[in-house]
Amino acid sequence: MKNFSYDFYKESADYILEQISEKPKIAIILGSALGSIADLVENKTIVSYRDVPKLLQSTAPSHKGEFIFGRLSDQPVMLMSGRFHHYEGYSYEELAQPVRIMKLLGVETLIITNAAGAVNLDYEVGDVMLIEDQIKIAGHSPMRGPNIEEFGPRFFDCTYIYTPKLLKLAQAKAKELNYDNSVHTGVYYFCPGPNFETPAEIKAIRILGGDAVGMSTVTEALTAAHCEMDVLGISMITNMAAGIEDEEQSGLHVIDVGNKAASKIADLIMEVLKDI
Ligand code: HPA
Protein backbone atom coordinates (compact mmCIF):
# COMPACT_ATOMS: atom_id res chain seq x y z
CA MET A 1 0.00 0.00 0.00
CA LYS A 2 1.23 3.51 -0.87
CA ASN A 3 2.44 5.74 1.91
CA PHE A 4 0.11 8.74 1.89
CA SER A 5 2.03 10.90 4.36
CA TYR A 6 1.23 14.48 5.32
CA ASP A 7 4.21 15.59 3.19
CA PHE A 8 2.77 13.73 0.18
CA TYR A 9 -0.28 16.03 0.19
CA LYS A 10 1.75 19.09 1.19
CA GLU A 11 3.92 18.85 -1.91
CA SER A 12 0.84 19.27 -4.14
CA ALA A 13 -0.61 22.05 -1.96
CA ASP A 14 2.67 23.98 -1.81
CA TYR A 15 2.89 23.99 -5.60
CA ILE A 16 -0.67 25.33 -5.90
CA LEU A 17 -0.06 28.01 -3.25
CA GLU A 18 2.74 29.38 -5.41
CA GLN A 19 0.31 29.80 -8.34
CA ILE A 20 -2.57 31.62 -6.64
CA SER A 21 -3.00 35.13 -5.27
CA GLU A 22 -5.75 34.37 -2.74
CA LYS A 23 -6.39 31.28 -0.62
CA PRO A 24 -9.79 29.67 -1.20
CA LYS A 25 -12.28 29.40 1.68
CA ILE A 26 -14.82 27.30 -0.18
CA ALA A 27 -14.25 24.45 -2.64
CA ILE A 28 -16.78 23.18 -5.15
CA ILE A 29 -16.41 19.79 -6.80
CA LEU A 30 -18.17 19.87 -10.16
CA GLY A 31 -20.01 16.69 -11.07
CA SER A 32 -20.67 15.34 -14.58
CA ALA A 33 -22.30 18.07 -16.69
CA LEU A 34 -22.06 20.69 -13.96
CA GLY A 35 -19.03 22.41 -15.45
CA SER A 36 -20.94 25.56 -16.48
CA ILE A 37 -20.56 27.10 -12.99
CA ALA A 38 -16.91 27.56 -13.93
CA ASP A 39 -17.94 30.27 -16.44
CA LEU A 40 -19.22 32.42 -13.58
CA VAL A 41 -15.92 32.59 -11.69
CA GLU A 42 -14.33 36.05 -11.64
CA ASN A 43 -10.66 36.83 -11.48
CA LYS A 44 -9.72 33.30 -12.54
CA THR A 45 -6.45 31.48 -12.08
CA ILE A 46 -6.42 28.02 -13.63
CA VAL A 47 -4.12 25.30 -12.38
CA SER A 48 -4.05 22.22 -14.58
CA TYR A 49 -3.99 18.85 -12.81
CA ARG A 50 -1.13 17.90 -15.13
CA ASP A 51 1.15 20.47 -13.51
CA VAL A 52 0.47 19.60 -9.85
CA PRO A 53 3.05 17.24 -8.38
CA LYS A 54 1.68 13.88 -7.18
CA LEU A 55 -1.89 14.67 -8.30
CA LEU A 56 -4.20 12.03 -9.81
CA GLN A 57 -5.35 12.68 -13.38
CA SER A 58 -9.00 12.61 -14.50
CA THR A 59 -10.12 10.28 -17.26
CA ALA A 60 -13.94 10.42 -17.01
CA PRO A 61 -15.96 11.92 -19.91
CA SER A 62 -16.85 15.64 -19.46
CA HIS A 63 -14.37 15.97 -16.57
CA LYS A 64 -11.80 18.56 -17.61
CA GLY A 65 -8.86 18.27 -15.26
CA GLU A 66 -8.24 21.68 -13.75
CA PHE A 67 -8.61 23.65 -10.55
CA ILE A 68 -10.17 27.07 -11.04
CA PHE A 69 -9.40 29.68 -8.40
CA GLY A 70 -11.17 33.04 -8.14
CA ARG A 71 -14.31 34.61 -6.75
CA LEU A 72 -17.93 33.48 -6.91
CA SER A 73 -20.62 35.59 -5.20
CA ASP A 74 -17.61 37.53 -3.87
CA GLN A 75 -16.27 34.51 -1.96
CA PRO A 76 -12.75 33.17 -2.51
CA VAL A 77 -13.38 29.77 -4.08
CA MET A 78 -11.67 26.91 -5.82
CA LEU A 79 -13.51 24.71 -8.29
CA MET A 80 -12.48 21.21 -9.13
CA SER A 81 -13.40 20.75 -12.78
CA GLY A 82 -12.84 17.06 -13.29
CA ARG A 83 -13.14 14.70 -10.34
CA PHE A 84 -11.72 11.26 -9.70
CA HIS A 85 -13.77 8.09 -9.34
CA HIS A 86 -13.14 4.60 -8.06
CA TYR A 87 -14.29 3.21 -11.44
CA GLU A 88 -11.35 4.89 -13.16
CA GLY A 89 -9.12 2.50 -11.24
CA TYR A 90 -8.26 4.74 -8.28
CA SER A 91 -8.33 3.14 -4.85
CA TYR A 92 -10.60 4.55 -2.14
CA GLU A 93 -7.47 5.78 -0.33
CA GLU A 94 -6.27 7.66 -3.41
CA LEU A 95 -9.62 9.41 -3.66
CA ALA A 96 -8.89 11.24 -0.38
CA GLN A 97 -6.20 13.28 -2.13
CA PRO A 98 -8.08 16.27 -3.61
CA VAL A 99 -9.96 17.04 -0.39
CA ARG A 100 -6.79 16.82 1.70
CA ILE A 101 -5.08 19.22 -0.70
CA MET A 102 -8.07 21.58 -0.32
CA LYS A 103 -7.70 21.40 3.45
CA LEU A 104 -4.04 22.37 3.19
CA LEU A 105 -4.99 25.32 0.96
CA GLY A 106 -7.27 26.65 3.71
CA VAL A 107 -10.68 25.41 2.55
CA GLU A 108 -13.28 25.31 5.34
CA THR A 109 -16.42 24.44 3.37
CA LEU A 110 -16.81 21.86 0.62
CA ILE A 111 -19.71 21.86 -1.83
CA ILE A 112 -19.95 18.51 -3.62
CA THR A 113 -22.11 18.16 -6.73
CA ASN A 114 -22.86 15.08 -8.77
CA ALA A 115 -25.15 13.52 -11.34
CA ALA A 116 -27.35 10.81 -9.87
CA GLY A 117 -30.14 8.42 -10.78
CA ALA A 118 -33.46 8.71 -8.92
CA VAL A 119 -34.36 5.75 -6.75
CA ASN A 120 -37.17 7.64 -5.01
CA LEU A 121 -40.27 7.35 -7.20
CA ASP A 122 -41.41 10.88 -6.30
CA TYR A 123 -38.38 12.39 -8.04
CA GLU A 124 -38.29 13.44 -11.70
CA VAL A 125 -35.51 13.87 -14.21
CA GLY A 126 -34.13 17.42 -13.92
CA ASP A 127 -34.89 17.62 -10.18
CA VAL A 128 -32.25 18.37 -7.58
CA MET A 129 -31.57 16.45 -4.36
CA LEU A 130 -29.86 18.11 -1.41
CA ILE A 131 -27.95 15.33 0.33
CA GLU A 132 -28.78 14.81 4.00
CA ASP A 133 -26.83 11.59 4.45
CA GLN A 134 -25.07 8.86 2.49
CA ILE A 135 -24.82 5.08 2.32
CA LYS A 136 -21.56 3.52 1.24
CA ILE A 137 -21.68 -0.19 1.81
CA ALA A 138 -19.44 -1.04 -1.16
CA GLY A 139 -15.71 -1.01 -0.53
CA HIS A 140 -13.66 0.27 2.34
CA SER A 141 -13.05 3.73 3.80
CA PRO A 142 -10.74 6.29 2.14
CA MET A 143 -9.28 6.69 5.63
CA ARG A 144 -8.06 3.05 5.74
CA GLY A 145 -4.34 2.66 6.43
CA PRO A 146 -2.02 4.58 8.75
CA ASN A 147 -3.90 7.56 10.19
CA ILE A 148 -2.52 11.05 9.55
CA GLU A 149 -3.19 12.86 12.81
CA GLU A 150 -2.69 16.31 11.23
CA PHE A 151 -5.93 15.74 9.31
CA GLY A 152 -8.04 14.05 11.99
CA PRO A 153 -8.38 11.22 14.51
CA ARG A 154 -8.19 7.49 13.75
CA PHE A 155 -11.88 6.93 14.51
CA PHE A 156 -14.14 9.79 13.53
CA ASP A 157 -17.78 10.71 13.79
CA CYS A 158 -20.10 10.50 10.77
CA THR A 159 -23.38 11.57 12.36
CA TYR A 160 -23.39 14.86 10.45
CA ILE A 161 -21.19 14.41 7.39
CA TYR A 162 -23.49 16.85 5.55
CA THR A 163 -23.51 19.96 7.73
CA PRO A 164 -27.09 20.61 8.95
CA LYS A 165 -26.77 24.41 8.86
CA LEU A 166 -25.66 24.30 5.19
CA LEU A 167 -28.49 21.93 4.29
CA LYS A 168 -31.00 24.30 5.94
CA LEU A 169 -29.46 27.26 4.12
CA ALA A 170 -29.73 25.48 0.76
CA GLN A 171 -33.34 24.47 1.48
CA ALA A 172 -34.20 28.09 2.31
CA LYS A 173 -32.50 29.37 -0.84
CA ALA A 174 -34.36 26.79 -2.98
CA LYS A 175 -37.58 28.16 -1.54
CA GLU A 176 -36.60 31.77 -2.22
CA LEU A 177 -35.78 30.85 -5.82
CA ASN A 178 -39.16 29.08 -6.15
CA TYR A 179 -37.35 25.82 -6.86
CA ASP A 180 -38.75 23.97 -3.88
CA ASN A 181 -41.13 21.76 -5.91
CA SER A 182 -38.17 20.30 -7.75
CA VAL A 183 -35.59 20.38 -4.94
CA HIS A 184 -35.75 17.40 -2.58
CA THR A 185 -33.74 16.37 0.44
CA GLY A 186 -32.59 12.75 0.54
CA VAL A 187 -30.01 10.03 0.99
CA TYR A 188 -27.28 9.41 -1.61
CA TYR A 189 -26.43 5.75 -2.15
CA PHE A 190 -23.00 4.98 -3.56
CA CYS A 191 -22.48 2.28 -6.19
CA PRO A 192 -18.93 2.07 -7.52
CA GLY A 193 -19.79 1.67 -11.23
CA PRO A 194 -18.84 1.95 -14.04
CA ASN A 195 -21.82 -0.31 -14.72
CA PHE A 196 -25.20 1.17 -13.99
CA GLU A 197 -27.11 -0.82 -11.38
CA THR A 198 -29.49 -3.69 -12.08
CA PRO A 199 -33.22 -3.25 -11.46
CA ALA A 200 -32.94 -5.71 -8.54
CA GLU A 201 -30.14 -3.63 -6.99
CA ILE A 202 -32.25 -0.47 -7.29
CA LYS A 203 -35.15 -2.20 -5.49
CA ALA A 204 -32.74 -3.24 -2.74
CA ILE A 205 -31.29 0.28 -2.49
CA ARG A 206 -34.81 1.71 -2.07
CA ILE A 207 -35.49 -0.71 0.79
CA LEU A 208 -32.15 0.24 2.37
CA GLY A 209 -33.09 3.93 2.38
CA GLY A 210 -31.42 5.39 -0.72
CA ASP A 211 -33.22 8.15 -2.63
CA ALA A 212 -30.64 8.64 -5.37
CA VAL A 213 -27.73 6.55 -6.63
CA GLY A 214 -24.37 7.61 -8.00
CA MET A 215 -20.72 6.69 -8.49
CA SER A 216 -18.94 9.53 -6.69
CA THR A 217 -19.12 11.92 -3.70
CA VAL A 218 -18.96 9.56 -0.72
CA THR A 219 -15.17 9.31 -0.46
CA GLU A 220 -14.84 13.08 -0.76
CA ALA A 221 -17.48 13.62 1.92
CA LEU A 222 -15.82 11.11 4.28
CA THR A 223 -12.43 12.75 3.79
CA ALA A 224 -13.99 16.14 4.56
CA ALA A 225 -15.67 14.74 7.69
CA HIS A 226 -12.33 13.35 8.87
CA CYS A 227 -10.63 16.77 8.62
CA GLU A 228 -13.70 18.61 9.97
CA MET A 229 -14.77 20.54 6.90
CA ASP A 230 -18.36 21.64 6.49
CA VAL A 231 -20.04 19.83 3.58
CA LEU A 232 -23.01 20.59 1.34
CA GLY A 233 -23.97 17.87 -1.15
CA ILE A 234 -26.13 18.49 -4.24
CA SER A 235 -27.27 15.82 -6.70
CA MET A 236 -28.70 16.54 -10.11
CA ILE A 237 -31.22 13.87 -11.02
CA THR A 238 -30.29 13.00 -14.59
CA ASN A 239 -32.29 9.79 -14.97
CA MET A 240 -34.65 7.43 -13.21
CA ALA A 241 -32.53 4.53 -11.89
CA ALA A 242 -32.56 1.13 -13.60
CA GLY A 243 -35.84 -0.73 -13.92
CA ILE A 244 -38.11 2.23 -13.04
CA GLU A 245 -38.86 3.12 -16.62
CA ASP A 246 -38.81 0.86 -19.64
CA GLU A 247 -35.57 2.36 -20.89
CA GLU A 248 -31.89 1.43 -20.93
CA GLN A 249 -29.38 3.53 -18.95
CA SER A 250 -26.86 5.55 -20.91
CA GLY A 251 -23.90 7.71 -19.93
CA LEU A 252 -24.63 10.17 -22.75
CA HIS A 253 -28.18 10.67 -21.51
CA VAL A 254 -26.75 11.57 -18.09
CA ILE A 255 -24.55 14.29 -19.60
CA ASP A 256 -27.36 15.66 -21.85
CA VAL A 257 -29.96 16.17 -19.15
CA GLY A 258 -27.28 17.45 -16.81
CA ASN A 259 -26.42 20.30 -19.16
CA LYS A 260 -30.06 21.41 -19.28
CA ALA A 261 -30.67 21.41 -15.54
CA ALA A 262 -27.23 22.62 -14.40
CA SER A 263 -28.27 26.28 -14.28
CA LYS A 264 -30.69 25.55 -11.44
CA ILE A 265 -27.85 24.17 -9.33
CA ALA A 266 -25.59 27.06 -10.33
CA ASP A 267 -28.26 29.56 -9.14
CA LEU A 268 -28.64 27.69 -5.88
CA ILE A 269 -24.90 27.61 -5.25
CA MET A 270 -24.49 31.32 -6.05
CA GLU A 271 -27.20 32.13 -3.48
CA VAL A 272 -25.83 29.78 -0.83
CA LEU A 273 -22.34 31.30 -1.22
CA LYS A 274 -23.69 34.73 -0.26
CA ASP A 275 -24.53 33.48 3.23
CA ILE A 276 -21.68 31.16 4.13
N1 HPA B 1 -26.59 5.17 -11.38
C1 HPA B 1 -25.32 5.45 -10.98
N2 HPA B 1 -24.73 6.61 -11.22
C2 HPA B 1 -25.42 7.53 -11.90
C3 HPA B 1 -26.73 7.31 -12.36
C4 HPA B 1 -27.34 6.06 -12.08
O1 HPA B 1 -28.51 5.78 -12.45
N3 HPA B 1 -27.12 8.44 -13.00
C5 HPA B 1 -26.09 9.31 -12.93
N4 HPA B 1 -25.05 8.77 -12.26
Side-chain angles (χ1 to χ4, degrees), residues 115-117 196-197 213-215 238-242 249 254:
F196 286 105
E197 301 69 36
V213 62
M215 305 177 193
T238 50
N239 58 290
M240 299 308 287
Q249 305 293 325
V254 165

Side-chain angles (χ1 to χ4, degrees), residues 81-93:
S81 177
R83 66 137 59 84
F84 310 116
H85 307 80
H86 187 62
Y87 67 70
E88 293 173 79
Y90 296 124
S91 68
Y92 291 107
E93 294 91 326

Side-chain angles (χ1 to χ4, degrees), residues 4-100:
F4 296 113
S5 62
Y6 186 76
D7 286 343
F8 170 86
Y9 299 108
K10 199 167 171 300
E11 190 179 335
S12 312
D14 285 348
Y15 170 83
I16 295 171
L17 284 171
E18 283 168 19
Q19 317 303 314
I20 58 176
S21 52
E22 186 179 33
K23 283 185 167 193
K25 214 176 85 186
I26 299 161
I28 307 173
I29 301 177
L30 303 176
S32 295
L34 287 159
S36 64
I37 302 172
D39 300 337
L40 305 173
V41 177
E42 288 171 51
N43 218 356
K44 269 186 208 168
T45 305
I46 292 179
V47 178
S48 167
Y49 294 174
R50 272 195 309 274
D51 298 331
V52 180
K54 302 278 195 293
L55 188 62
L56 308 180
Q57 300 298 317
S58 56
T59 69
S62 93
H63 286 261
K64 256 190 160 165
E66 58 194 28
F67 293 118
I68 301 160
F69 294 84
R71 287 203 161 227
L72 259 186
S73 293
D74 212 30
Q75 291 273 22
V77 296
M78 70 179 283
L79 272 52
M80 195 177 164
S81 177
R83 66 137 59 84
F84 310 116
H85 307 80
H86 187 62
Y87 67 70
E88 293 173 79
Y90 296 124
S91 68
Y92 291 107
E93 294 91 326
E94 283 177 301
L95 295 175
Q97 189 194 30
V99 177
R100 288 186 157 173

Side-chain angles (χ1 to χ4, degrees), residues 165-225:
K165 72 170 191 297
L166 287 178
L167 176 59
K168 284 200 188 94
L169 176 62
Q171 287 166 331
K173 295 292 185 183
K175 203 165 189 169
E176 270 174 43
L177 289 164
N178 282 325
Y179 288 161
D180 48 334
N181 282 340
S182 59
V183 177
H184 312 278
T185 298
V187 173
Y188 180 89
Y189 192 104
F190 169 73
C191 283
N195 55 288
F196 286 105
E197 301 69 36
T198 65
E201 284 166 344
I202 294 301
K203 277 188 198 154
I205 289 168
R206 192 175 302 120
I207 291 165
L208 289 173
D211 294 295
V213 62
M215 305 177 193
S216 66
T217 299
V218 295
T219 50
E220 296 145 354
L222 285 167
T223 308

